[in-house]
Amino acid sequence: MENLAGRLLDLTRELRVESRDERAKDENLREKYLGLEVRYESTIRNLEEEKSKRQTLEKQFGDLGEIFLEMRHSLKQEKVKRLKVEEQLRHLDRPLVSDRTEPASLDGSHNIKEIGRNFVAVLIDADGYKFYMDYLRDLENGGKLAVDELLARISLFVEMNVPDLVDYDIIVRAYANLAGLGPACRNEFRMETDDLRPFVWDFNSQDPLVDFVDIGPGDQRADLKIQDLLEYYVSNNLCEHIFFGVCHDKGYIPFIEQTLRDGRDPKRMTLVVKSSVRPGLDTLGLRTIQMPAVFSVVTGTLLR
């Protein structure tokens, strides 16, 4: 009996020790849980603060974007006003009839005397509208032939679609990055050289109102040039019609849509189309003209 009582006493002591250990473990777990709960609540508060900061930054960024668009629009309006003032100043110093025998300058720009005379404008994003390969390959006369064909196509279109316009000039502006266009044409048309400068020089020397301008590397340079000129020409009462070759680039769509929303007559504008009209441009209600004898459509093939 004494042995049994002793064993029971030992078991009781062991149970008490285990019970204390369990309570200590429970207390330790409870403390860890409370610590995790505090950290969780702190993390939630931090996330909410970060979310609030992000929303504030997004709103500020959106406000800055709107301010930027307003400033850009205002800048373009100022450019148009400046061009009009320059036009008036030139009108004071120049004859009212354009001199189409004026020679081209060495940098491809001309002293244009279109003031006081009706004209049509042709704007070409030449990075996307490559001239027909036979013109590019002909280093002696290719530029001149390209200009002659382009002007002939424009004149024919005007004669058929704007019959009341008789005495007018044709102003052509083609913009491209020659450093990128040259290799692209060499690869696409299997040309022996990627140097397009002879073509450009020949192109610019054919007519005083025709310019092929190297705008250098950089995204959107041609886009901005053409957009600024389009905005200027649509506000110029002497400009009877505008042709623009931009159907390869959907980035022009919002600008053209805005131009039409500003009340510009769509009958004054015509899209130069290489093959088909890009979705988004086909719903603007603009007339189109194809010039496969001027611009390359399919490599190695001339479609007329």
Side-chain angles (χ1 to χ4, degrees), residues 5 28 35-36 49 56 84 95 97 105 124 127 153 163 181 201 212 222 239 269 276 287 290 293 300 303:
N28 187 35
L36 290 174
E49 291 176 359
T56 301
K84 288 181 177 179
V97 180
S105 60
I124 302 296
D127 284 322
R153 298 282 175 165
L181 181 61
W201 294 334
F212 192 122
C239 183
M269 294 180 280
S276 60
R287 287 183 289 195
Q290 289 189 339
L303 305 176

Coordinates of all heavy atoms in Angstrom, one line a residue, residues 5 28 35-36 49 56 84 95 97 105 124 127 153 163 181 201 212 222 239 269 276 287 290 293 300 303:
A5 N 0.8 4.2 -2.7 CA 0.6 5.6 -2.3 C 1.7 6.5 -2.8 O 1.5 7.6 -3.3 CB 0.4 5.7 -0.8
N28 N 2.5 31.3 -23.5 CA 3.5 31.6 -24.6 C 2.8 31.8 -25.9 O 3.0 32.7 -26.7 CB 4.6 30.6 -24.6 CG 5.7 31.1 -25.6 OD1 6.0 32.2 -25.7 ND2 6.3 30.1 -26.3
G35 N 0.8 39.1 -30.2 CA 1.8 39.8 -31.0 C 1.5 39.8 -32.5 O 1.6 40.8 -33.2
L36 N 1.1 38.6 -33.0 CA 0.7 38.5 -34.4 C -0.5 39.4 -34.7 O -0.6 40.0 -35.8 CB 0.4 37.1 -34.8 CG 1.6 36.1 -34.8 CD1 1.2 34.7 -35.0 CD2 2.6 36.6 -35.9
E49 N -3.0 53.1 -45.4 CA -2.3 54.3 -45.6 C -1.6 54.4 -47.0 O -1.7 55.4 -47.7 CB -1.3 54.5 -44.5 CG -1.9 54.8 -43.1 CD -0.8 54.9 -42.1 OE1 0.4 54.7 -42.4 OE2 -1.2 55.1 -40.9
T56 N -4.1 59.2 -53.8 CA -3.8 60.6 -53.9 C -2.8 60.9 -55.1 O -3.0 61.8 -55.8 CB -3.2 61.1 -52.6 OG1 -4.1 60.8 -51.5 CG2 -2.9 62.6 -52.7
K84 N 0.3 82.3 -88.4 CA -0.6 83.3 -89.1 C 0.1 84.7 -89.1 O 0.0 85.4 -90.1 CB -1.9 83.4 -88.4 CG -2.8 82.2 -88.6 CD -4.2 82.4 -88.0 CE -5.1 81.2 -88.2 NZ -6.4 81.3 -87.6
P95 N 5.6 89.0 -103.2 CA 4.6 89.2 -104.3 C 3.4 88.3 -104.0 O 3.5 87.3 -103.3 CB 5.3 88.8 -105.6 CG 6.5 88.0 -105.1 CD 6.9 88.5 -103.8
V97 N 2.0 86.3 -106.1 CA 2.0 85.1 -106.9 C 3.2 84.3 -106.6 O 4.3 84.9 -106.5 CB 2.0 85.5 -108.4 CG1 2.0 84.3 -109.3 CG2 0.8 86.4 -108.7
S105 N 17.0 75.2 -101.4 CA 18.2 75.4 -100.6 C 18.9 74.1 -100.3 O 18.4 73.0 -100.5 CB 17.8 76.0 -99.2 OG 16.9 75.2 -98.5
I124 N 2.9 63.8 -95.7 CA 3.3 62.4 -95.8 C 4.2 62.0 -94.7 O 5.2 62.6 -94.5 CB 4.0 62.1 -97.2 CG1 3.1 62.4 -98.4 CG2 4.4 60.6 -97.2 CD1 1.8 61.7 -98.5
D127 N 8.1 57.6 -93.2 CA 8.6 56.3 -92.5 C 7.6 55.2 -92.8 O 8.1 54.0 -92.9 CB 8.7 56.6 -91.0 CG 9.9 57.4 -90.6 OD1 10.9 57.2 -91.3 OD2 9.8 58.2 -89.7
R153 N -0.8 62.9 -109.8 CA -2.0 62.2 -109.1 C -2.8 63.2 -108.4 O -4.0 63.1 -108.4 CB -1.4 61.1 -108.2 CG -0.7 60.0 -108.9 CD -1.6 59.0 -109.6 NE -0.9 58.0 -110.4 CZ -1.4 56.9 -110.9 NH1 -2.7 56.7 -110.7 NH2 -0.7 56.1 -111.6
P163 N -13.7 70.5 -108.8 CA -13.6 71.1 -110.1 C -13.6 72.7 -110.1 O -13.1 73.3 -111.1 CB -14.9 70.6 -110.8 CG -15.8 70.3 -109.7 CD -14.9 69.8 -108.6
L181 N 15.0 54.9 -92.1 CA 14.3 54.5 -93.4 C 15.2 53.9 -94.4 O 14.8 52.9 -95.1 CB 13.7 55.8 -93.9 CG 12.9 55.6 -95.2 CD1 11.7 54.7 -95.0 CD2 12.4 57.0 -95.8
W201 N 17.7 64.6 -102.2 CA 18.2 65.8 -102.8 C 17.5 66.0 -104.2 O 17.1 67.1 -104.5 CB 19.7 65.7 -103.0 CG 20.5 65.7 -101.8 CD1 20.1 66.3 -100.6 CD2 21.8 65.1 -101.6 NE1 21.1 66.0 -99.6 CE2 22.1 65.4 -100.2 CE3 22.7 64.4 -102.4 CZ2 23.3 64.9 -99.6 CZ3 23.9 64.0 -101.8 CH2 24.2 64.2 -100.5
F212 N 11.2 67.0 -98.8 CA 11.4 65.8 -98.1 C 12.3 66.1 -96.9 O 13.5 66.4 -97.2 CB 11.9 64.7 -99.0 CG 11.9 63.3 -98.4 CD1 11.2 62.3 -99.0 CD2 12.5 63.0 -97.1 CE1 11.1 61.0 -98.5 CE2 12.4 61.8 -96.6 CZ 11.7 60.7 -97.3
A222 N 7.6 62.7 -86.5 CA 6.8 63.0 -87.8 C 5.4 63.2 -87.4 O 4.7 64.1 -88.0 CB 6.9 61.8 -88.7
C239 N -5.8 77.5 -98.0 CA -5.6 76.0 -98.2 C -7.0 75.4 -98.6 O -7.9 75.3 -97.8 CB -5.1 75.4 -97.0 SG -4.8 73.6 -97.2
M269 N -10.5 67.3 -96.6 CA -9.4 66.4 -96.3 C -9.6 65.0 -97.0 O -10.7 64.5 -97.1 CB -9.4 66.2 -94.8 CG -9.0 67.4 -94.0 SD -9.0 67.2 -92.2 CE -10.7 67.3 -91.8
S276 N -5.3 49.4 -97.7 CA -6.7 49.5 -97.1 C -6.6 50.5 -96.0 O -5.6 50.8 -95.5 CB -7.1 48.1 -96.6 OG -6.2 47.7 -95.6
R287 N -12.7 61.2 -97.7 CA -12.4 60.6 -98.9 C -11.0 60.0 -98.9 O -10.2 60.4 -98.1 CB -12.5 61.6 -100.1 CG -14.0 62.0 -100.4 CD -14.1 63.0 -101.5 NE -13.6 64.3 -101.2 CZ -13.8 65.4 -101.9 NH1 -14.6 65.3 -103.0 NH2 -13.4 66.6 -101.5
Q290 N -5.8 56.3 -103.6 CA -4.7 55.4 -103.7 C -3.6 55.8 -104.7 O -4.0 56.3 -105.8 CB -5.2 54.0 -104.0 CG -5.9 53.3 -102.9 CD -6.2 51.9 -103.2 OE1 -6.2 51.4 -104.3 NE2 -6.5 51.1 -102.1
A293 N 1.4 53.9 -107.8 CA 2.5 54.3 -108.7 C 3.5 55.3 -108.0 O 4.5 55.6 -108.5 CB 2.0 54.9 -110.0
G300 N 8.3 44.6 -104.7 CA 8.6 44.0 -106.0 C 7.4 44.1 -107.0 O 7.5 43.7 -108.1
L303 N 1.4 48.2 -108.6 CA 0.0 48.1 -108.9 C -0.5 49.5 -109.3 O -0.3 50.5 -108.7 CB -0.8 47.7 -107.6 CG -0.3 46.4 -107.0 CD1 -1.1 46.1 -105.7 CD2 -0.4 45.2 -107.9

